[in-house]
Amino acid sequence: GQQLNQSPQSMFIQEGEDVSMNCTSSSIFNTWLWYKQEPGEGPVLLIALYKAGELTSNGRLTAQFGITRKDSFLNISASIPSDVGIYFCAGPANYGGATNKLIFGTGTLLAVQP
Amino acid sequence: NAGVTQTPKFQVLKTGQSMTLQCAQDMNHNSMYWYRQDPGMGLRLIYYSASEGTTDKGEVPNGYNVSRLNKREFSLRLESAAPSQTSVYFCASSEVAGVRKYFGPGTRLTVT
């Protein structure tokens, strides 16, 4: 079945550093989503990507839809302590289908030291 | 406007006991979902309801049942809890086939 692999699994960085993480799949996705989950909370949608090659920003966050449609990248610039959390990529379970069924990646845990 | 609410926040069950997790949303969304989150596994879809009156299985439906009580409420029932069902359960809602899914705060369930 479809799977999403995220790397790295965890990152421990200093405040002010830039962060890069990625998500890869063996199958094509037509939509890529990036969520953030803070401790004790549910995931919150950060960025949605709809076209291959698309680059979208949300404040200090920038995400890209890979041109092969099999990967996506998330960058965080000038990290701050409140960036701490788990970042998940997600995509619809069936290519071309409705996004009722999302597959989630295994997550990247980000820790930021002040 | 509370968004998506879940009750209870925490629950401990003994093997074989039953319970129902409650979820409600006040955003007038048509679609609702139940996910479970386990360490290193991300979130996996248990059941979903595309619209009031319909329910469908997700990736890991075994051991669970759901009820879409009305447009606002979607409950998840464990008839005979097993230790393998120890997890954090999240309810979510969206517009029909909507990309943006709004998640509740989760229910932490431990089955001993």
Side-chain angles (χ1 to χ4, degrees), chain A residues 100, chain B residues 25 29-33 49-51 68 92-98:
Chain A
N100 267 318
Chain B
Q25 52 91 10
H29 285 162
N30 286 299
S31 300
M32 298 185 74
Y33 316 82
S49 171
S51 61
R68 184 72 183 267
S93 71
S94 72
E95 298 293 342
V96 175

Side-chain angles (χ1 to χ4, degrees), chain A residues 45-66:
Chain A
L45 182 65
L46 299 172
I47 293 177
L49 302 161
Y50 302 100
K51 292 191 299 188
E54 180 181 350
L55 192 69
T56 298
S57 292
N58 178 3
R60 293 177 295 104
L61 277 63
T62 301
Q64 183 163 23
F65 193 138

Side-chain angles (χ1 to χ4, degrees), chain B residues 35-58:
Chain B
Y35 289 87
R36 61 177 288 174
Q37 184 176 33
D38 302 297
M41 300 288 289
L43 287 93
R44 292 181 293 170
L45 183 64
I46 304 171
Y47 268 94
Y48 70 101
S49 171
S51 61
E52 188 178 355
T54 68
T55 60
D56 284 289
K57 295 178 180 179

Side-chain angles (χ1 to χ4, degrees), chain A residues 91-94 98-104, chain B residues 31-38 41-50 56-62 64 66 74 76 88-93 101 103:
Chain A
N94 296 300
T99 51
N100 267 318
K101 300 182 191 180
L102 282 184
I103 296 175
F104 282 81
Chain B
S31 300
M32 298 185 74
Y33 316 82
W34 277 104
Y35 289 87
R36 61 177 288 174
Q37 184 176 33
D38 302 297
M41 300 288 289
L43 287 93
R44 292 181 293 170
L45 183 64
I46 304 171
Y47 268 94
Y48 70 101
S49 171
D56 284 289
K57 295 178 180 179
E59 185 183 353
V60 288
N62 291 343
Y64 305 95
V66 291
F74 189 38
L76 178 72
V88 182
Y89 291 86
F90 289 99
C91 177
S93 71
K101 292 181 179 14
F103 284 84

Side-chain angles (χ1 to χ4, degrees), chain B:
Chain B
N1 188 336
V4 180
T5 57
Q6 293 182 236
T7 56
K9 289 189 75 80
F10 302 94
Q11 184 72 49
V12 179
L13 292 177
K14 290 186 171 24
T15 297
Q17 286 185 319
S18 61
M19 80 160 295
T20 300
L21 281 65
Q22 307 286 355
C23 173
Q25 52 91 10
D26 62 4
M27 294 173 283
N28 202 35
H29 285 162
N30 286 299
S31 300
M32 298 185 74
Y33 316 82
W34 277 104
Y35 289 87
R36 61 177 288 174
Q37 184 176 33
D38 302 297
M41 300 288 289
L43 287 93
R44 292 181 293 170
L45 183 64
I46 304 171
Y47 268 94
Y48 70 101
S49 171
S51 61
E52 188 178 355
T54 68
T55 60
D56 284 289
K57 295 178 180 179
E59 185 183 353
V60 288
N62 291 343
Y64 305 95
N65 285 302
V66 291
S67 295
R68 184 72 183 267
L69 303 169
N70 48 56
K71 191 172 185 179
R72 289 187 64 248
E73 299 172 287
F74 189 38
S75 63
L76 178 72
R77 182 158 179 85
L78 287 70
E79 289 293 349
S80 180
S84 61
Q85 293 178 304
T86 293
S87 188
V88 182
Y89 291 86
F90 289 99
C91 177
S93 71
S94 72
E95 298 293 342
V96 175
V99 166
R100 180 178 289 271
K101 292 181 179 14
Y102 294 82
F103 284 84
T107 294
R108 291 187 175 275
L109 175 66
T110 301
V111 183
T112 61

